[in-house]
Amino acid sequence: MVKCRVCGESVVEFVDFGRQPLSDAFRVPGDTRPEFFFRLAVGVCESCAMVQLMEEVPRDRMFHEEYPYRSSGSARMREHFTATALRLLERECRRDDPFVVEIGCNDGVMLRTVKEKGVRHLGVDPSGGVAETARELGVDVLTAFFEEETARRVRAEHGPADVIFSANTICHIPYLDSVLRGVDALLAPGGVFLFEDPYLGDILAKNSFDQIYDEHFYFFSAHSVRAAAERFGFELVDVERLPVHGGEVRYSLARRGERVATPAVAALLAEEEREEILSLARLRLFAERVHQVRADLIGTLRGLREEGKRVVAYGATAKSATVTNYCGITPELVSFVCDTTPEKQGRLSPGAHLPVRPGEAFSEPYPDYALLFAWNHAEEIMAKETGFREAGGRWITYVPEVTIV
Ligand code: SAH
Ligand code: TYD
Ligand code: ZN
């Protein structure tokens, strides 16, 4: 029996994607070393309702010098994080000489604004390559995994943090106990810990099964975050739904008794009860829908190949590793994936081995169909690729179901 990473009780499995590779392990062509695979399956804790992976991938296999993801690859996300930084500075940094810590700062997409405003800050990120990109912008970064011991080290060197922020990272960290003890060690009295991650409610509503991959260990809800917070002396004092990355929630944690919870917390908890997002029946229904989407997507792609249509994919996302490997999408069905990230170009996608080519390859010439792997950036991408539709091209998406537009 798999035990919950947060509370130690039993986890009940509800969906299994089988053997999957590391989602960000883009391969150099000709590399013959065996790829790393693990069993990708998700369950829910019977006691604290935390939805989590059944198997954990060792952290340094995923996050290292060569980790290719760059947060600044999307204009919309750059805007989102500039606005986030300004808000943190305005609302949470009222003390003299405040100190802002970010867990998983990546290329500095958020902290660059904090730095520009002259505020003391530190990003903590274990991936050396991304940390270096952030440093080039003048952002201070400690190359390390955030955990209790790191937090104590940061506190000893820099003093307490007024605010600790994290985006799309806390859900990557199985050792949430150590993270929350670290936050407790580092946070100043009255300080706040804010983190935003893909929201379970949105994943179920949109059937976005591709949010499930090695790096996403947890799929948070207000219920599960509240339970985890309370185990470590915190309270969930605010929640805010965010329209980015297909639907996220920003959770605010404060030490017990330090802040009054906003009405949004009770409202989201009530919504989760109404929608029954934590019931096994609802989670099993999700698994059924996922099987249906696989059948529809592979059927659509095979049909197009038989018609002699040319299909390429758009965005070599980590999410797409689950789509390609679970659905069996091969280079015969999808010739290549275009992506603007230099660190991914010229390589092969994990497992499925679709070649990754630069963004310009998309229009040289345009394909008949484009499979939108970066569906969470659909608005931004469709706005800049109007030429594709004008040339007669059509987009294929699979969230919430297979659609051709
Ligand atoms: N905050 C950015 C980056 C998300 S990608 C954004 O929202 O776009 C996730 C990042 O978390 C990666 O840069 C990875 O190196 C980092 N990471 C993974 N485990 C971590 C840990 N234990 N502590 C700090 N950062 C971690
Ligand atoms: P993203 O969906 O942000 O994350 P993940 O890898 O965690 O699933 O990844 C978006 C990818 O799409 C990233 O590799 C950059 C690429 N991209 C483009 O190639 N062109 C674009 O216009 C945008 C917005 C993203
Ligand atoms: Zn639990």
Side-chain angles (χ1 to χ4, degrees):
M1 200 51 176
V2 170
K3 298 287 174 211
C4 174
R5 260 324 229 121
V6 184
C7 80
E9 296 299 326
S10 300
V11 178
V12 184
E13 183 174 321
F14 61 87
V15 67
D16 179 7
F17 295 92
R19 263 166 51 89
Q20 293 287 331
L22 304 177
S23 61
D24 267 310
F26 291 85
R27 257 165 106 74
V28 176
D31 186 348
T32 52
R33 284 172 298 177
E35 277 177 284
F36 178 89
F37 284 91
F38 73 108
R39 188 174 83 91
L40 181 65
V42 191
V44 59
C45 172
E46 286 184 316
S47 173
C48 76
M50 186 63 86
V51 174
Q52 57 201 281
L53 294 191
M54 303 300 288
E55 210 175 279
E56 182 179 333
V57 172
R59 63 187 190 179
D60 17 63
R61 281 200 179 264
M62 298 184 282
F63 310 113
H64 44 70
E65 194 62 34
E66 306 254 295
Y67 180 68
Y69 182 71
R70 295 293 183 276
S71 303
S72 298
S74 154
R76 166 102 186 283
M77 292 314 297
R78 292 198 297 275
E79 283 163 24
H80 169 78
F81 285 122
T82 303
T84 301
L86 294 174
R87 200 178 106 168
L88 292 182
L89 293 173
E90 191 186 301
R91 296 200 193 168
E92 308 295 347
C93 296
R94 302 211 173 122
R95 219 172 42 123
D96 280 348
D97 190 25
F99 180 43
V100 177
V101 170
E102 183 176 18
I103 303 173
C105 64
N106 198 270
D107 61 5
V109 68
M110 194 290 284
L111 282 180
R112 64 185 300 169
T113 304
V114 175
K115 183 245 157 199
E116 277 160 20
K117 298 289 175 191
V119 172
R120 257 189 334 124
H121 63 273
L122 185 70
V124 180
D125 200 302
S127 299
V130 299
E132 203 42 50
T133 316
R135 283 190 198 103
E136 282 161 17
L137 299 171
V139 170
D140 297 328
V141 189
L142 173 66
T143 306
F145 287 97
F146 187 92
E147 57 193 337
E148 186 179 358
E149 190 268 326
T150 316
R152 293 192 183 283
R153 207 150 41 103
V154 172
R155 164 108 192 199
E157 243 176 74
H158 302 266
D162 297 77
V163 49
I164 302 178
F165 175 77
S166 188
N168 306 299
T169 301
I170 299 304
C171 74
H172 293 51
I173 312 183
Y175 38 102
L176 187 60
D177 53 339
S178 176
V179 167
L180 289 175
R181 281 195 298 268
V183 168
D184 193 27
L186 178 57
L187 203 60
V192 66
F193 173 39
L194 300 119
F195 60 99
E196 56 195 59
D197 285 287
Y199 178 50
L200 178 67
D202 285 300
I203 295 174
L204 297 182
K206 296 183 178 139
N207 202 40
S208 45
F209 68 92
D210 57 349
Q211 292 285 9
I212 300 167
Y213 54 91
D214 57 345
E215 293 169 23
H216 286 178
F217 188 83
Y218 290 117
F219 305 90
F220 295 136
S221 61
H223 275 87
S224 63
V225 168
R226 181 181 62 170
E230 287 174 357
R231 285 183 80 82
F232 296 93
F234 292 97
E235 245 174 291
L236 176 60
V237 293
D238 195 19
V239 289
E240 186 186 348
R241 294 188 80 152
L242 304 173
V244 296
H245 288 314
E248 303 204 315
V249 169
R250 180 181 290 162
Y251 304 91
S252 302
L253 268 46
R255 284 197 191 86
R256 189 175 297 133
E258 284 189 347
R259 291 194 187 197
V260 177
T262 65
V265 176
L268 191 58
L269 288 165
E271 181 178 326
E272 292 179 357
E273 308 259 324
R274 233 175 16 249
E275 301 288 327
E276 299 184 347
I277 65 165
L278 296 160
S279 81
L280 253 184
R282 177 66 189 91
L283 296 169
R284 288 191 169 130
L285 176 66
F286 166 78
E288 276 172 37
R289 291 192 177 150
V290 170
H291 291 134
Q292 188 57 47
V293 170
R294 167 166 70 174
D296 291 349
L297 183 58
I298 204 72
T300 301
L301 293 175
R302 286 190 184 138
L304 292 173
R305 183 181 53 180
E306 275 157 31
E307 288 173 35
K309 302 293 187 199
R310 197 169 145 257
V311 183
V312 310
Y314 201 109
T317 56
K319 290 184 284 294
S320 66
T322 301
V323 180
T324 55
N325 293 289
Y326 172 66
C327 300
I329 297 176
T330 57
E332 288 73 51
L333 294 174
V334 171
S335 339
F336 64 84
V337 195
C338 63
D339 195 288
T340 51
T341 314
E343 287 77 8
K344 298 180 183 176
Q345 295 163 2
R347 300 203 172 208
L348 302 174
S349 74
H353 296 177
L354 305 181
V356 183
R357 299 184 52 194
E360 300 77 51
F362 186 53
S363 58
E364 297 170 350
Y366 283 124
D368 301 306
Y369 290 83
L371 179 57
L372 188 56
F373 281 158
W375 56 267
N376 47 312
H377 302 296
E379 235 175 89
E380 175 177 349
I381 290 171
M382 291 193 188
K384 80 177 179 195
E385 297 292 1
T386 50
F388 172 55
R389 288 298 307 274
E390 284 159 19
R394 304 184 69 185
W395 293 100
I396 306 171
T397 66
Y398 45 84
V399 174
E401 58 200 358
V402 177
T403 317
I404 298 187
V405 289

